[in-house]
Amino acid sequence: MSSPREQMFIDGQWVQASDGATRPTRNPADQSVIAEVPAATEDDTRQALAAAQRAFHDATWAKMDPAERGRLLRKVAALIYERADDIARTETLDNGKPLREAKGDVLFAAQTFEYYAGWADKIEGSVIPVPGPRFNYTRKEPLGVTVHIVPWNYPFQLGCRSIAPALAAGNTVVVKPASDTPLSMLKLAKVMEDAGVPKGVFNVLTGSGAKLGPILVGAKETAGVVLTGSVPTGQELLKEAARKIVPVTLELGGKSPNIVFPDANLDKAVKGAAFGIFMNAGQMCWAGSRLLVHESVHDEFVKKLADFARGWKAGSGLEKDTRIGPLVSQGHHQTVMGYVEKGKHEGAKLALGGARPEDPALAKGNFLTPTIFTDVDPKMTIFREEIFGPVLSVTKFGNDDEALKLANAVDFGLYAGVWTSNLQRAHRFAAELEAGQVAINEYPVTFPQTPFGGFKMSGIGSEQGASALHFYTRLKSVMVNLG
Ligand code: NAD
C-alpha cells in the first residue's frame, strides 16, 4: 500500500511542491513510511512569503479589531482541544514520543493560544511626559511577516509557542517544521483554515531547513525570525540575518545541571532527575543532563535513580505501557550512541543502559534504554556537549561553591534544577546559576505564561509569557506639537 501524500498550506491553498518533489517521513519505532511530504522549492518559499506579505497589508489581519483577532485565536485553541487525540497520535507516529507525552504537548499548545488570545487587545503603548506643549505617545506595531523554524523534538508545542504570540500581535506567519516531523504543523494549518483565519495569514512550508532556511531568513518580506533548534543552526541563521539586520529569537540547546543536596526530599528528586532526562527519550532542550549530587548521598541517590529508570519500558509511543519511545531518526540514534562510546572511552563509569533494549520486536526502531554514567569529570565530552538522548552524566560535589562552579562550567545556560530544603541556599543558587530558568524542588516545569529563554549559547531572547510579545511588535514613538 502506498503511503498518503500530504500537501503544504500556502495562501489558503493545499498544494504540492511546484516541482512535485516529496520526501518520506518515517515512524522512528519501526522505520515505516507514514507519509510523503512536499519538499518545497525556492519558488514555493517565495510564494508563501508573498502571500504572508499580502495578508499583512490587507485589512483583514493586522488592522482587524484586535478583540476579533483574539476571538479567532480562541477558536484555534478550541479546535486544538477538540482534535487533541488525533494531533497527538500524529505526533507520536512522526516523532516517536509516548502518546501521553504527545497529548500533554498538544494541550500545552492549546493553552498557549488561549493565553495569547487574551493579549490580542491588550498590547498597549504609553503616554510619555515631555517638555512643552507636546504629546508624546508610543505605538506597539506588529512586525509584518514572521518566519518560524521549528525543531523535531516538540514539533507541535514549540511551533505553537511562537506562532500564537506572533498572530496575537497582528503578524502573519510562515512556518517551516523540521523535515523529520512535518505532520503536526499541517494539522495546525487545517485548524487555522477551519477556524476561519484569513488566507495568507498562516502558511506552512515543508522541506529542508538547510535549503529553505537561508531563503526565508534573507527574504525582503521577512521582518522577524524565530528559530528553535541547535547551536550550529542558530549560528548559520545569525549570519544570514546579519545581512538584512532582521530581528531574531534563538531558542537553542542546553546542558542543564540538576543539583541534589542531602537536605532535599530525595525520593521526589529521584523522580525529577529521571523525568528531567528520560522523558521524550532525553530529546529535550531543557534536559537535566548533568546530575550534580552531594557526595554524602551520591551512592544512595544513583542506586535509587537506576532502580527507578530500569523500570522504564521502551517501545512504540502508541503502546500504553511505553515509558521511553525511540529517538527521532537513525542518524540521530548513531550520534547519541557515539556519545555513549565517547563516555566509556573517556573513563566515565556506565551505571545503567547504554544499549538497545533486548526485545527483538524493537530491533528496527531507534531505541536506547535509559543510560546513566557516573564519575563524570568536567573535562569529559559527555559533561560539556548536548547529547540530546536519554544519557545522564553524574558528577559528585562536596560543597555549595563547588556545585555552583560545576553547574556554570559549560557554554550553555538554559535551565537548572536545585533540590534542597534550605531557603537561603535555594535563593542563592537561583541568583547565581547562569540559566534562563531555575526550578527549585521540581524538574522540569513550565507554563505558557512563564518566560522561557536561554543564557549564554542557549539562545537570544525568550518565548512564552507577556515578555515574548516585545519581540513580535516594534515600538514607535509619536511626537505631536500642540503649540
Ligand atoms: P536543528 O537545528 O537541526 O533544526 C531546527 C530547524 O532548523 C529545523 O526545522 C531545520 O530544518 C532548520 N534548519 C536547518 N538548517 C537550517 C539553516 N541553515 N537555516 C535555517 N533553518 C535551518 O535542530 P533539531 O535537531 O531539529 O532540534 C534539536 C535542537 O533544538 C537541540 O539543540 C535542542 O536543544 C534545541 N531546542 C531548543 C529549545 C529551546 O526552547 N531552547 C527547544 C527545543 C529544542
Side-chain angles (χ1 to χ4, degrees):
M1 203 176 73
S2 66
S3 37
R5 247 184 113 142
E6 294 288 338
Q7 294 177 309
M8 305 180 284
F9 192 65
I10 299 176
D11 203 13
Q13 304 292 317
W14 291 95
V15 296
Q16 287 295 336
S18 52
D19 63 1
T22 62
R23 63 164 277 161
T25 184
R26 292 175 189 277
N27 177 352
D30 60 12
Q31 314 304 341
S32 58
V33 174
I34 317 164
E36 288 290 333
V37 179
T41 61
E42 174 167 355
D43 192 42
D44 299 323
T45 310
R46 303 224 175 270
Q47 300 264 356
L49 289 161
Q53 178 87 313
R54 280 195 301 277
F56 180 71
H57 289 305
D58 199 347
T60 52
W61 193 247
K63 296 184 192 115
M64 176 185 276
D65 167 3
E68 179 57 22
R69 213 163 52 228
R71 276 193 285 276
L72 265 172
L73 294 182
R74 249 175 237 112
K75 215 162 156 189
V76 169
L79 285 175
I80 295 174
Y81 281 122
E82 208 177 291
R83 299 176 190 179
D85 286 338
D86 174 52
I87 300 170
R89 202 184 139 75
T90 300
E91 197 82 309
T92 288
L93 274 173
D94 213 10
N95 163 284
K97 64 177 70 194
L99 200 49
R100 85 167 85 85
E101 290 183 24
K103 186 79 183 281
D105 297 357
V106 174
L107 297 182
F108 191 104
Q111 288 157 11
T112 304
F113 272 102
E114 278 177 339
Y115 174 75
Y116 285 111
W119 270 108
D121 58 359
K122 297 171 193 70
I123 300 174
E124 297 168 349
S126 58
V127 173
I128 299 160
V130 286
R134 292 187 187 88
F135 175 41
N136 182 194
Y137 67 97
T138 59
R139 291 166 49 83
K140 284 190 183 159
E141 301 176 345
L143 299 174
V145 177
T146 55
V147 165
H148 304 248
I149 302 180
V150 181
W152 48 255
N153 63 334
Y154 289 86
F156 195 73
Q157 180 182 336
L158 296 183
C160 292
R161 175 172 81 170
S162 66
I163 291 163
L167 291 177
N171 300 282
T172 57
V173 163
V174 177
V175 54
K176 199 213 75 69
S179 5
D180 282 329
T181 55
L183 299 180
S184 59
M185 276 295 109
L186 297 173
K187 294 270 176 194
L188 182 65
K190 185 72 185 120
V191 163
M192 294 283 174
E193 184 182 35
D194 294 347
V197 171
K199 75 174 184 132
V201 168
F202 180 77
N203 306 274
V204 183
L205 282 171
T206 50
S208 149
K211 178 174 152 192
L212 307 183
I215 305 169
L216 285 166
V217 177
K220 64 179 184 331
E221 293 90 348
T222 300
V225 180
V226 184
L227 165 78
T228 306
S230 61
V231 169
T233 305
Q235 288 166 326
E236 281 306 304
L237 192 144
L238 270 182
K239 283 188 221 156
E240 205 55 51
R243 281 186 233 284
K244 260 198 69 196
I245 317 286
V246 67
V248 297
T249 290
L250 298 180
E251 293 281 2
L252 308 178
K255 190 73 188 178
S256 301
N258 208 352
I259 312 167
V260 180
F261 288 95
D263 61 2
N265 176 332
L266 293 187
D267 290 332
K268 229 174 126 191
V270 162
K271 290 202 174 131
F275 283 103
I277 183 65
F278 302 131
M279 215 169 71
N280 212 26
Q283 301 163 120
M284 295 183 285
C285 56
W286 58 345
S289 50
R290 288 185 301 137
L291 184 69
L292 309 180
V293 191
H294 190 270
E295 57 195 13
S296 65
V297 290
H298 174 276
D299 294 356
E300 173 199 353
F301 194 84
V302 171
K303 184 178 178 317
K304 280 187 175 183
L305 179 61
D307 288 345
F308 182 63
R310 208 172 276 118
W312 281 44
K313 189 174 174 309
S316 153
L318 293 179
E319 301 293 334
K320 265 208 169 71
D321 56 350
T322 291
R323 288 295 287 276
I324 183 162
L327 297 172
V328 75
S329 65
Q330 282 179 320
H332 185 56
H333 187 267
Q334 273 167 16
T335 305
V336 173
M337 290 312 290
Y339 277 109
V340 171
E341 287 313 310
K342 212 167 256 179
K344 290 188 215 165
H345 179 73
E346 291 183 0
K349 204 167 123 203
L350 188 61
L352 183 73
R356 288 175 168 278
E358 280 164 13
D359 184 353
L362 303 181
K364 279 197 192 157
N366 314 319
F367 293 99
L368 171 61
T369 54
T371 298
I372 301 176
F373 277 107
T374 57
D375 298 71
V376 177
D377 185 272
K379 285 197 266 328
M380 291 181 189
T381 311
I382 61 168
F383 185 92
R384 288 180 285 106
E385 293 187 12
E386 183 182 45
I387 299 176
F388 224 54
V391 182
L392 180 67
S393 301
V394 188
T395 307
K396 268 185 213 169
F397 66 84
N399 59 48
D400 290 25
D401 288 344
E402 195 189 342
L404 256 179
K405 203 167 155 208
L406 284 167
N408 290 337
V410 297
D411 292 335
F412 296 102
L414 191 57
Y415 203 88
V418 183
W419 299 85
T420 180
S421 54
N422 178 323
L423 203 57
Q424 282 86 354
R425 173 186 282 148
H427 286 292
R428 178 187 172 206
F429 273 69
E432 295 190 28
L433 282 166
E434 292 170 355
Q437 286 69 231
V438 177
I440 314 283
N441 294 330
E442 196 173 5
Y443 201 110
V445 61
T446 190
F447 300 99
Q449 61 271 39
T450 306
F452 194 100
F455 289 2
K456 296 156 81 176
M457 286 186 92
S458 290
I460 298 176
S462 100
E463 290 287 2
Q464 300 178 187
S467 49
L469 285 162
H470 294 308
F471 179 78
Y472 299 100
T473 54
R474 55 187 188 185
L475 189 65
K476 182 181 279 175
S477 169
V478 181
M479 190 73 77
V480 185
N481 190 308
L482 301 170

